[in-house]
Amino acid sequence: MSDQRHDNVTSSTGPEGPDAPLHRRGIKSYVLRAGRMTQAQTRGLEEVWPRLGLTLADGRQDLDALFGRQAPRVVEIGFGMGGSLIEQAESHPDTDFIGIEVHAPGVGKLLDEADKRGLGNIRIYREDALAVLEQCLPEASLDTLQLFFPDPWPKKKHHKRRIVQPAFVELIRTRLKMGGTLHMATDWQAYAEWMADVMEAAPGYANTASPETAPYVPRPSFRPLTKFEVRGERLGHGVWDLLYRRCA
């Protein structure tokens, strides 16, 4: 996948309009980084990928056929090194999980762990998340979509790279079942406010937060606490969770 920037793209300091194209040429919400691969990570990519890995070339999925059953379906975008997703898949064997991540070390580590723990309820894409949503996941097929700690792209000139945009959350809405949830979390307050602004303007969503905490919710018990968060809490860093339900 290319991560080249396009010099002719106009910079934006606020969310794009809902009709803005999801795939502006050259603009990605991530940067591919080279990294060393451990033996376990390499094993995951070489030995486990053929069983649990998926690609865009596999086309639109029949999720019941893919997992061999009917079950709640959760997609996590940008799972990093996979610790949270592995914990969820192991704790909820009656739920099926699809992880999307572009960085090879994280994909390899998750695959290795999934295999060692005998998890059959997880599948992985090493692809651009927008392309997976558009091309591979059926409409109204997901119970939950999770976006935990995406790159905040804090500089104003990079705000156009933020994955949370009106067109993005509208695409997610079409993939969620009625009543399904979009769960986001960030440790950047400015990005949390951006997310809330996008979601409050997005049609077809209802905020699940109480009036006392709106637009945010306390961290739900089902979202694992990451090591990154534990370190942040010790330093006094905040974390903001947003949980919206598809209502139309």
Side-chain angles (χ1 to χ4, degrees):
M1 292 175 289
S2 171
D3 193 53
Q4 297 175 351
R5 296 188 186 178
H6 195 285
D7 293 337
N8 295 327
V9 173
T10 301
S11 178
S12 171
T13 58
E16 295 185 326
D19 297 326
L22 281 167
H23 294 286
R24 290 187 180 275
R25 185 180 301 276
I27 293 185
K28 300 290 186 183
S29 62
Y30 54 86
V31 173
L32 286 174
R33 298 180 296 272
R36 291 184 178 181
M37 296 287 293
T38 67
Q39 185 175 359
Q41 292 165 358
T42 300
R43 173 188 173 273
L45 288 175
E46 293 180 351
E47 299 181 18
V48 187
W49 176 266
R51 180 162 50 87
L52 300 183
L54 298 167
T55 70
L56 297 180
D58 295 324
R60 186 82 64 190
Q61 294 291 337
D62 178 333
L63 298 184
D64 289 350
L66 177 66
F67 287 99
R69 64 178 182 177
Q70 292 183 336
R73 304 271 152 69
V74 176
V75 167
E76 182 167 334
I77 293 175
F79 56 74
M81 298 306 289
S84 169
L85 191 54
I86 284 289
E87 182 176 337
Q88 292 177 79
E90 191 167 47
S91 301
H92 300 87
D94 294 330
T95 298
D96 295 330
F97 294 84
I98 296 175
I100 307 173
E101 176 59 65
V102 295
H103 300 293
V107 172
K109 180 176 176 59
L110 184 144
L111 289 169
D112 181 64
E113 282 294 323
D115 183 61
K116 289 177 178 177
R117 302 186 191 202
L119 301 179
N121 62 332
I122 193 165
R123 299 292 186 275
I124 302 301
Y125 281 97
R126 188 183 168 196
E127 305 276 7
D128 184 290
L130 297 179
V132 173
L133 289 168
E134 288 182 318
Q135 301 175 34
C136 304
L137 300 181
E139 294 187 3
S141 63
L142 307 179
D143 293 88
T144 303
L145 190 136
Q146 299 175 165
L147 181 68
F148 298 154
F149 306 101
D151 194 321
W153 293 104
K155 294 182 180 179
K156 285 186 177 180
K157 67 179 181 179
H158 293 153
H159 285 182
K160 60 183 176 287
R161 283 180 171 264
R162 289 177 168 175
I163 192 171
V164 179
Q165 303 282 350
F168 171 70
V169 300
E170 170 57 19
L171 175 60
I172 291 172
R173 187 188 68 83
T174 67
R175 269 49 185 174
L176 290 172
K177 297 177 181 177
M178 197 63 65
T181 55
L182 169 56
H183 183 189
M184 298 181 287
T186 180
D187 60 331
W188 283 75
Q189 184 173 3
Y191 199 11
E193 293 168 356
W194 170 291
M195 291 174 171
D197 287 345
V198 170
M199 293 306 301
E200 291 302 316
Y205 282 102
N207 194 341
T208 67
S210 68
E212 292 75 23
T213 64
Y216 311 112
V217 298
R219 182 182 68 85
S221 60
F222 53 79
R223 179 172 73 74
L225 189 65
T226 67
K227 293 180 181 178
F228 173 81
E229 269 185 278
V230 173
R231 288 197 300 269
E233 286 185 349
R234 286 201 299 265
L235 295 172
H237 297 171
V239 172
W240 292 265
D241 281 78
L242 299 97
L243 192 64
Y244 286 80
R245 178 173 293 110
R246 180 183 176 182
C247 61

